[in-house]
Structures are given as C-alpha cells and as structure tokens.
Amino acid sequence: MMFLHTLGQRISRDLGAMIAGRNLNTGDVVFHWDAAPGPTDRNVEASYSAASPQAETKQGLIHWVSVRSVAQGAFSEFQAGDAIVTFTADVVIAGKRGLYFTLPDGNDYVQANVGKKVIEFWDVYVGGEALSITLLLRRKG
C-alpha cells in the first residue's frame, strides 16, 4: 500500500534508481561553467578575474526532440534536435556562470527558454518539494 506522505520520497528514489541504473535514455551529461568571481565594474576598476573553468558529470534522462514532434506543433519552444533532459532534484544549475552541457552525442548545448505552459507539465512537486529538474537544451552556437 502506498501512502501520500511517502509518495514524493518513492518517486524521487525510483527516478534516481532509474537514472543511476542507466535505464531507458539515460546518459552522462557534462556541466561546464566558469567559477571565477564576476567581473568588476569597468568604470571603477579595470581588473577582471581570470577564467576558472569547472566541469562536473551528472546522469540524466535524455530525450531528443524529433522533426515529427515539432511538426505536430504542440509547443513552439521546441526545435528538431533539441534535448529534453531530466535530472534528480539534487542537481544544481543556479549560479553557474556561462553554463553549457555536453551530451552523449558529443555536442555542446545551452539551456533554452520555455514558456509557462511547458513548465506546468515538467518537474514533479509533492508537498512543495521538487522531485526532478527538467531542462530544454539547444545546440550551442
């Protein structure tokens, strides 16, 4: 029997197990960002911090958007070749300057904007707690 107060923990655990077990469309996603402090104001000081590139590998569920999905026109945000990637809720993307991602296909991607209607269908919340983080990624460049 499943109780509502344990539902969030179970979904989170099952999602984590599915990603860790490399089931379905899971794969390694390499996060790249610059950890250097932000640049100082040019009007006050001309010195800029040296770049401090960082990388971290996380696993996620990856779905590539097909031409057929785009042709059906469900959401205008999607383009053929985009990737929809879902991570467990413990993955942090906030505060990482210049963040981009390398997916298993070897290409670099950046986060694309999505509308409010799309976000309503993504990311599971139970009792205000996020159980997943889903991003729309578009090829860099």
Side-chain angles (χ1 to χ4, degrees), residues 48-114:
Y48 286 86
S49 304
S52 178
Q54 300 290 315
E56 177 180 30
T57 302
K58 295 287 185 178
Q59 293 178 354
L61 295 172
I62 305 167
H63 170 76
W64 274 273
V65 177
S66 70
V67 173
R68 186 174 62 174
S69 297
V70 173
Q72 291 175 350
F75 296 102
S76 61
E77 291 94 336
F78 298 108
Q79 296 179 7
D82 286 353
I84 301 169
V85 184
T86 301
F87 300 100
T88 54
D90 60 344
V91 171
V92 177
I93 61 165
K96 294 183 176 178
R97 194 162 42 105
L99 181 64
Y100 69 95
F101 309 84
T102 303
L103 297 185
D105 67 352
N107 293 311
D108 293 334
Y109 292 78
V110 294
Q111 189 173 354
N113 291 325
V114 293

Side-chain angles (χ1 to χ4, degrees), residues 11-12 14-31 57-65 78 82-93 101 103-104 111 114 118-119 121-125 130-137:
I11 292 172
S12 189
D14 291 349
L15 175 64
M18 190 167 42
I19 291 173
R22 298 184 177 268
N23 297 324
L24 298 172
N25 294 334
T26 59
D28 290 336
V29 179
V30 183
F31 290 53
T57 302
K58 295 287 185 178
Q59 293 178 354
L61 295 172
I62 305 167
H63 170 76
W64 274 273
V65 177
F78 298 108
D82 286 353
I84 301 169
V85 184
T86 301
F87 300 100
T88 54
D90 60 344
V91 171
V92 177
I93 61 165
F101 309 84
L103 297 185
Q111 189 173 354
V114 293
V118 174
I119 291 172
F121 293 104
W122 285 354
D123 298 342
V124 178
Y125 289 86
L131 303 181
S132 65
I133 298 170
T134 303
L135 305 175
L136 176 63
L137 303 180

